Amino acid sequence: MLTLESVTAGYGESTVLRDVSFTVGEGDVVALLGPNGAGKTTLLRTATGFVKPRSGRIAFRGDDVTGRPPHEFARRGVCHLPEGRGIFPSLTVKENLTIQARGRERDEAIAEATRLFPVLGDRLRQTAGSLSGGEQQMLALSRAYLTRPKLVVVDEASLGLAPLIVDKIYDALARLVEEGMSLVIVEQYVNKALALANTVYILSRGEVVHTGEAGELDTGEIYERYLGID
Ligand code: ATP
């Protein structure tokens, strides 16, 4: 579905990703792991058009999309859920859910979102910025879900959230997978990500140092070898 081939990318003078090759297949859930500063967020931003590769190639469903802008990735069905969540804090929950919808679609959007996360139904008139962190993440995920993307790229979905809320977020991510969406997950709760993922990539200092099936990973070894501070 999405392929990065020997991608090098960075910011200004600094190179963050070095010769990174990365593939997400149809229906895949990829856990992208690595220590702080390894380049995980940069890889997600490159995979969604926000950072342009300096060299290498990006293809989505067979089309070359190297260097295309983020809105073109979005139009093709690549949805980016950034760490800052990507909601409109001063708009109400209802407005956040219906901003892209018209007429009857609005009611359907609200019904779908509240099926995914019932708590949002009690918060429709509240501004998104006044929601708890977990509720904001649920709203962000609902917004992503409503656009029916083919690939959802999730950066630190559970950052700062209580374990019970993290479980809810992961239940919802599992629903997206059931609906046929592919996922790339960057996650500090490694075990959570690995429970959902079928494939794992480990990034260290901007290079892919391990790739394989999630089920085959020895998490103890992973922590020891790769997830320290770079
Ligand atoms: P973390 O787990 O800490 O979020 P990460 O693996 O997601 O880290 P990135 O956020 O991709 O890593 O950062 C990789 C490197 O790129 C870091 O050295 C960081 O300082 C640098 N970097 C990130 N964003 C920018 C930017 N906008 N401008 C310049 N350098 C940046």
Side-chain angles (χ1 to χ4, degrees):
M1 169 174 271
L2 178 78
T3 316
L4 275 68
E5 270 173 38
S6 301
V7 163
T8 294
Y11 308 94
E13 299 278 281
S14 75
T15 300
V16 177
L17 301 179
R18 294 184 176 82
D19 199 25
V20 167
S21 293
F22 181 84
T23 302
V24 189
E26 300 272 346
D28 265 358
V29 180
V30 177
L32 175 60
L33 310 176
N36 289 126
K40 302 178 298 293
T41 295
T42 305
L43 176 48
L44 296 189
R45 290 173 60 81
T46 307
T48 51
F50 289 91
V51 169
K52 308 242 179 288
R54 283 191 201 135
S55 61
R57 183 172 175 271
I58 304 179
F60 186 70
R61 294 192 144 179
D63 295 336
D64 190 334
V65 290
T66 316
R68 302 283 171 80
H71 64 83
E72 192 173 326
F73 280 75
R75 187 179 58 75
R76 289 169 184 262
V78 180
C79 170
H80 184 232
L81 274 177
E83 219 180 296
R85 304 204 168 110
I87 55 174
F88 300 103
S90 58
L91 299 186
T92 65
V93 169
K94 186 174 175 180
E95 286 162 343
N96 266 274
L97 292 171
T98 55
I99 200 162
Q100 283 134 329
R102 286 183 205 87
R104 272 189 45 217
E105 282 172 21
R106 293 182 182 210
D107 297 337
E108 282 163 23
I110 290 166
E112 278 199 49
T114 51
R115 261 200 303 276
L116 198 58
F117 295 114
V119 68
L120 292 180
D122 305 327
R123 302 278 186 273
L124 291 174
R125 286 173 220 286
Q126 205 169 313
T127 58
S130 68
L131 296 175
S132 73
E135 289 164 353
Q136 289 188 19
Q137 192 59 264
M138 292 176 203
L139 178 60
L141 260 178
S142 303
R143 279 177 41 81
Y145 176 73
L146 290 172
T147 63
R148 290 290 182 275
K150 304 200 168 51
L151 172 67
V152 186
V153 162
V154 192
D155 202 353
E156 305 265 17
S158 26
L159 196 69
L161 304 183
L164 222 62
I165 308 292
V166 174
D167 287 346
K168 287 202 172 130
I169 298 293
Y170 269 80
D171 288 347
L173 288 174
R175 283 274 295 279
L176 304 194
V177 177
E178 278 166 26
E179 302 243 348
M181 300 173 199
S182 304
L183 301 180
V184 181
I185 305 173
V186 168
E187 179 57 77
Q188 53 167 349
Y189 293 113
V190 171
N191 290 329
K192 272 277 162 206
L194 290 178
L196 190 62
N198 60 307
T199 306
V200 60
Y201 277 78
I202 300 179
L203 209 59
S204 178
R205 298 172 196 253
E207 291 179 42
V208 175
V209 292
H210 174 91
T211 171
E213 285 183 30
E216 290 172 355
L217 267 193
D218 175 342
T219 41
E221 190 195 333
I222 291 296
Y223 273 108
E224 207 165 295
R225 281 185 62 182
Y226 301 119
L227 301 186
I229 308 295
D230 243 13

